[in-house]
Amino acid sequence: MICICFGSIFLSFSFCFVYCENVQAEEKEENSYIVTAKNDLALKELKKEYTTSVEQLLCDDVEEDKLLVISATEEEAMQLQEDTRVEAIEEDIVVYGCGENTVTTSSIEWNLDIINVKNSESVQNGEKIKVAMLDSGVDDCEDIDVRERVNFIPGQDEVFALYEDSTGHGTCIAGILAGKDNEIGITGINPNMELYSARVLDYHNSSKVSRIIDAINWAIEKKVNILSLSFGTKTDSEVLHNAIKRAQENNILIVAAGNDSQIEYPAAYPEVIAVGSIGTDGTVSENSAIGEELELVAPGEQLLSTGAFDGVMTCSGTSMAVPHVVGVASLLWEKDSTADAELIRMVLDAGAKTYDNKEVYGYGLVDYEYASNIYDQCKQFKLCRRITGRWNFGRKYKYSLC
C-alpha cells in the first residue's frame, strides 16, 4: 500500500512539474505590439523600457503617429494598456495578399476590352500620375519601369531587384498596371504612370500591419496620387485606419481588394475604394467579397501579365482586380493632375457599368471610356463639390453644376 501510494504521489508530482513548465513557457512567449504614445516624451521613455520588435517601424517617430513596435508578452501588453503614457496598444496583426500565378501560353487579354481601355491613349505630355504599389515587390525587367523601390521586410535589404518578388504577386499587378507597349510580354493599362514599389509582402504573401503603416508613410512622403493595396485582414486596426485617413487627407486615392467572405480591411474603411472581382463571363468571382462597402468590380480571373524574366503569367484573384481600378483612375487623373482625389473617385463610380445587385457588384464594372466622358462633362460644366450628402445621381457624394 505504501509503495502504491508513493507511486501515485510521485506521478502526481511529475505531472504538476511538467504542467508548470508549460505554463512558464507560455508566459515567456513574446509577440509584436503597436504602441501609440501620448506624446514625444512618452515615446522616448517607452523606447528605453521595451525591446523593439524585429518589425520595428522605420518611421516610428513620425509626429502624427507617435508609434512604437515592441516585443512583449501578453501580460506586459495588458499592463501597458493601463500605462498613463500609452494612448492605445494593439497586436501587430498580419495581412495577406490573395491570388495565384501560373505559366501560360494563352494570348487573350480579355480584361482590357471589357473595361474599355484597349485603345485608350494616356496624355504623354501631361504630368505623370504617381502610383504607390504596396505588395511583394516587382522583379526588375524590361517590360516594367519602376521609378523607385524600397524594401520594408527586415533582413532583406540586399535582395537583388532581379529576384525581388518571391511570389510573383506584385510583378503580376505591376504588369497589369504599367506593362510597356513593346514587343515584350503584355501591355498594361497605363505605361505612362510613375510607379513606386513598396515591398511589404514576404514569401508567404503576408505582412505585419506595422510594415503597411510604414509604407503608407513613405508613399505620403513621396507625394503619390494613388495607393494600390492588394491585401487584407478580417481584423480591424485603429493604427492602420489612422494611416489610411492621413493618406486621404493628403489627397491620395486609395484602392484595395474586397476579398473573401467579407469586405476585409483596409478595403472596408470608408476612405477606400473596395474592389471586387469578376470572371471572363462578367459575373462575380467565387472568392470576391460582397457587402455594402463594395464600391466597384473589375476583372480578376485568368489575366495575362508580366512574369519573372519578362515572361508571361496567368494571374487570378481579387488582388488582380485592384490594378484595373488604379490604372483607369490614373488615366483619368492625367487629364488634370491638379484634380481632387474625390472627384476621380466620383467619376469612377459614376462611369461604372451597372449591375442589378449592388451588394455583389457595387456601383458596377469600372469603365474607362464612359468615365472619361463623364469627367470631360464635369470639367466643361465646372463641377462644384459638396462635402456632405450623396451624388444626386445615386453615387457616393453630392454635387451641383454652376
Side-chain angles (χ1 to χ4, degrees):
M1 292 294 293
I2 293 174
C3 286
I4 294 173
C5 186
F6 178 79
S8 299
I9 293 171
F10 178 76
L11 288 173
S12 298
F13 175 76
S14 299
F15 175 77
C16 179
F17 176 76
V18 173
Y19 177 76
C20 289
E21 282 293 297
N22 287 338
V23 170
Q24 289 175 350
E26 288 179 1
E27 288 178 347
K28 291 180 180 179
E29 183 179 349
E30 292 187 340
N31 295 313
S32 291
Y33 293 89
I34 303 177
V35 179
T36 306
K38 287 190 175 179
N39 51 53
D40 291 330
L41 177 60
L43 181 65
K44 189 176 296 185
E45 291 177 352
L46 290 167
K47 281 183 180 181
K48 292 179 180 179
E49 294 179 23
Y50 290 89
T51 304
T52 55
S53 169
V54 174
E55 295 285 346
Q56 176 63 48
L57 290 172
L58 299 177
C59 302
D60 61 353
D61 56 350
V62 174
E63 185 177 348
E64 297 89 341
D65 285 341
K66 297 183 178 60
L67 297 180
L68 177 68
V69 181
I70 66 167
S71 294
T73 64
E74 185 176 351
E75 184 180 358
E76 287 175 326
M78 292 177 66
Q79 291 173 352
L80 264 175
Q81 288 180 330
E82 306 302 322
D83 195 310
T84 56
R85 299 168 298 177
V86 173
E87 185 73 37
I89 181 171
E90 63 180 65
E91 188 173 352
D92 194 1
I93 59 174
V94 178
V95 302
Y96 295 93
C98 49
E100 58 184 23
N101 313 325
T102 57
V103 178
T104 183
T105 56
S106 175
S107 60
I108 302 173
E109 293 184 67
W110 68 274
N111 53 314
L112 299 188
D113 287 327
I114 201 170
I115 64 171
N116 280 322
V117 297
K118 189 71 174 178
N119 299 313
S120 69
E121 294 183 3
S122 64
V123 185
Q124 298 291 340
N125 295 325
E127 185 176 346
K128 290 178 180 287
I129 298 304
K130 296 181 177 181
V131 174
M133 193 186 76
L134 279 55
D135 217 279
S136 57
V138 182
D139 285 337
D140 188 24
C141 60
E142 291 292 327
D143 200 36
I144 304 170
D145 283 337
V146 178
R147 175 68 177 83
E148 188 172 334
R149 60 179 81 221
V150 62
N151 177 67
F152 288 94
I153 302 176
Q156 298 191 21
D157 298 332
E158 303 302 321
V159 174
F160 289 111
L162 186 64
Y163 315 105
E164 180 180 81
D165 185 4
S166 57
T167 66
H169 190 264
T171 304
C172 258
I173 290 172
I176 294 170
L177 274 174
K180 294 187 215 175
D181 186 7
N182 53 19
E183 299 299 320
I184 301 173
I186 57 97
T187 301
I189 295 171
N190 186 6
N192 190 49
M193 71 170 56
E194 201 165 82
L195 187 62
Y196 290 73
S197 172
R199 185 171 181 248
V200 293
L201 301 182
D202 58 22
Y203 59 91
H204 294 301
N205 247 11
S206 64
S207 170
K208 291 291 186 68
V209 76
S210 55
R211 277 188 230 155
I212 305 301
I213 295 168
D214 205 13
I216 291 174
N217 289 337
W218 171 76
I220 293 172
E221 290 173 2
K222 295 299 175 181
K223 302 186 185 302
V224 303
N225 303 99
I226 308 174
L227 273 178
S228 176
L229 312 177
S230 287
F231 51 76
T233 174
K234 290 182 171 62
T235 305
D236 192 2
S237 166
E238 183 179 355
V239 288
L240 175 59
H241 195 186
N242 288 339
I244 291 292
K245 289 176 182 176
R246 190 167 57 257
Q248 186 199 44
E249 289 166 1
N250 281 271
N251 198 37
I252 296 176
L253 184 70
I254 311 155
V255 187
N259 185 61
D260 214 346
S261 57
Q262 69 180 65
I263 307 294
E264 296 182 331
Y265 302 99
Y269 296 132
E271 298 83 7
V272 180
I273 298 178
V275 183
S277 166
I278 62 165
T280 55
D281 61 356
T283 60
V284 67
S285 303
E286 184 178 348
N287 64 342
S288 181
I290 62 175
E292 61 179 10
E293 301 96 341
L294 189 69
E295 193 157 337
L296 294 167
V297 293
E301 296 181 21
Q302 302 175 44
L303 305 170
L304 293 185
S305 191
T306 306
F309 305 108
D310 286 310
V312 177
M313 306 288 283
T314 299
C315 314
S316 294
T318 311
S319 285
M320 309 305 162
V322 170
H324 292 83
V325 176
V326 172
V328 169
S330 70
L331 288 171
L332 293 170
W333 220 332
E334 278 187 356
K335 293 171 177 284
D336 179 7
S337 62
T338 65
D340 189 86
E342 289 298 294
L343 172 61
I344 301 298
R345 185 174 183 176
M346 180 278 289
V347 172
L348 288 170
D349 290 348
K353 296 175 183 175
T354 58
Y355 287 78
D356 291 334
N357 193 333
K358 191 175 183 300
E359 281 207 351
V360 175
Y361 297 98
Y363 291 124
L365 173 64
V366 64
D367 186 301
Y368 171 70
E369 189 175 303
Y370 189 26
S372 181
N373 290 335
I374 291 177
Y375 181 91
D376 292 341
Q377 291 175 31
C378 288
K379 282 296 185 181
Q380 180 181 353
F381 291 104
K382 297 180 181 178
L383 184 69
C384 296
R385 295 185 304 109
R386 294 175 185 166
I387 301 303
T388 58
R390 301 179 64 84
W391 293 110
N392 65 4
F393 50 85
R395 298 318 189 203
K396 194 161 187 174
Y397 308 96
K398 195 170 187 177
Y399 78 98
S400 62
L401 299 178
C402 60

